[in-house]
Amino acid sequence: MAIEQETGKFRCPWCLGFEDYVKYHDEEWGVPVFDDQKQFEFLVLESAQAGLSWSTILKKREGYRKAFAEFDYRVVADLPDGYVQELLLDSGIIRNEMKIRAAINNAKRFMEIQASHGSFKNYIWDFVGGKPIQNQLKSMSEVPATSPISDRLAKDMKSRGFKFLGSTILYAHMQATGLVNDHLVDCFRYQEVRALGK
């Protein structure tokens, strides 16, 4: 069940930690993303989140924006090895060498998908038939960690050489980028996000 705050709005309870989390929930989470650069941004951030909380990643989002050229996948794909060593000293991001190298690798794979499908958007939205899945969840206990679609997506992306993007991470990506609407039905954003998917 969504929780009412002093504003009189009911929100999904996971976002009630700090102000930026609420802002992210209210303005971004679940909004359908059809822009490739924004899709890449969320892939980098979701991959970095593996084993950590999303709130930790949100606090470092600006650091990632600076470190990864505003999430320009063309620039990220060409980052030299020496820059990886610099990033390992950058406290603005998660200093995990495998995750940093995964972001660079994934930028290259991302561009390969663009080349074969016209855009990454075409590729990923095809998994949901081009329209957001509208779940009708009443409590946090009903929110899945994965789905058959995220399983298929993870398997396909792994076969294409993507790293640090398993089914759980990709389901979170689907939630964040609006391929699925997982706002609880009594959250004020549920109907707003639903309307965006029509």
Side-chain angles (χ1 to χ4, degrees), residues 161-180:
F162 283 84
K163 308 287 186 190
F164 267 94
L165 289 170
S167 185
T168 301
I169 291 172
L170 285 169
Y171 191 75
H173 180 80
M174 289 170 62
Q175 292 172 312
T177 59
L179 279 85
V180 58

Side-chain angles (χ1 to χ4, degrees), residues 50-106:
L52 303 168
S53 71
W54 184 243
S55 59
T56 297
I57 300 304
L58 268 188
K59 290 172 184 173
K60 292 185 178 286
R61 191 176 193 179
E62 283 307 311
Y64 272 94
R65 193 165 274 130
K66 291 174 187 171
F68 288 101
E70 303 287 323
F71 299 104
D72 185 333
Y73 44 85
R74 292 156 295 203
V75 175
V76 175
D78 284 333
L79 291 176
D81 197 64
Y83 189 65
V84 173
Q85 303 310 313
E86 285 182 41
L87 291 182
L88 289 171
L89 303 173
D90 186 346
S91 62
I93 66 168
I94 303 301
R95 291 177 284 186
N96 178 305
E97 185 170 357
M98 292 200 315
K99 290 181 179 181
I100 292 168
R101 290 190 183 280
I104 297 169
N105 168 76
N106 292 348

